Amino acid sequence: MLAEWPLVAAVLPTVAILLAAVAGWWAEAAAVDAALLFNTVALFALGTLAARTAGYGWPSSCRAGGLDMLIGLVIIVANALIH
């Protein structure tokens, strides 16, 4: 169970944002948009951080983060088209 903890920790900000909508602090659509925006920015930041940790320079790291973010955006668009 401890080995899977990062998966649980990764969804906590999104769950908090969506629970704020359930509590009535935000409209549901605004909370979903905020969660998608947060996750897209997180993909870029974590992709860049991973590349920097691997020893890449800033331009290469930003490209890696951008590609991670692009994969996330493709998933969002595909999900929107399916529904």
Side-chain angles (χ1 to χ4, degrees):
M1 184 69 170
L2 289 177
E4 300 301 324
W5 175 246
L7 292 174
V8 174
V11 301
L12 289 179
T14 302
V15 169
I17 292 169
L18 295 176
L19 285 177
V22 171
W25 297 343
W26 285 346
E28 182 181 346
V32 170
D33 290 343
L36 290 174
L37 177 65
F38 173 81
N39 287 323
T40 303
V41 171
L43 281 171
F44 177 80
L46 293 174
T48 302
L49 178 65
R52 289 292 297 156
T53 302
Y56 290 96
W58 278 108
S60 297
S61 296
C62 287
R63 280 193 299 274
L67 287 175
D68 286 347
M69 183 177 68
L70 183 62
I71 292 169
L73 291 173
V74 167
I75 292 170
I76 291 169
V77 169
N79 192 20
L81 291 175
I82 289 170
H83 289 97

